[in-house]
């Protein structure tokens, strides 16, 4: 089953990979920003685990979609902009 998911993710487009990869940024921000909320420590811990887990899922999912060649393409694009 794991290989089927990986193969399906890799069949998605470069643009989809970039979008999924960028989705991890708000989840990372939210996972730490929620610590400022006036809620119990237990709730904060649960929220952090869920949001951080979503951030990691988007990060690794996006990298899987992009693959090695897509990652190189994205990295070169950012280097040219500087």
């Amino acid at each position: 089953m794991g290989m089927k998911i990986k193969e399906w993710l890799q069949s998605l487009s470069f643009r989809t990979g970039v979008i999924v990869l960028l989705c991890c940024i708000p989840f990372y921000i939210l996972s730490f920003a929620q610590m400022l909320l006036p809620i119990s420590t237990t709730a904060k811990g649960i929220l952090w685990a869920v949001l951080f887990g979503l951030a990691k899922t988007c990060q690794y999912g996006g990298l899987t979609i992009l693959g090695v060649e897509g990652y190189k393409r994205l990295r070169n694009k950012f280097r040219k902009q500087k």
Side-chain angles (χ1 to χ4, degrees):
M1 172 137 177
M3 288 305 288
K4 287 182 182 181
I5 293 172
K6 184 178 178 184
E7 289 171 6
W8 175 73
L9 285 173
Q10 289 175 336
S11 72
L12 297 172
S13 71
F14 176 79
R15 182 178 179 188
T16 303
V18 172
I19 291 168
V20 171
L21 195 56
L22 290 175
C23 285
C24 75
I25 295 170
F27 285 125
Y28 277 123
I29 292 169
L30 288 172
S31 70
F32 291 102
Q34 59 82 26
M35 294 294 180
L36 301 173
L37 294 174
I39 55 177
S40 71
T41 306
T42 305
K44 287 180 184 182
I46 292 169
L47 276 174
W48 181 84
V50 169
L51 292 169
F52 196 77
L54 285 169
K56 283 296 184 186
T57 302
C58 287
Q59 179 184 354
Y60 293 132
L63 289 174
T64 302
I65 293 168
L66 290 176
V68 175
E69 292 304 315
Y71 174 74
K72 288 178 184 176
R73 181 175 158 190
L74 189 63
R75 187 179 65 196
N76 289 335
K77 196 171 208 171
F78 280 115
R79 285 186 179 169
K80 287 180 183 178
Q81 288 179 355
K82 290 184 180 180

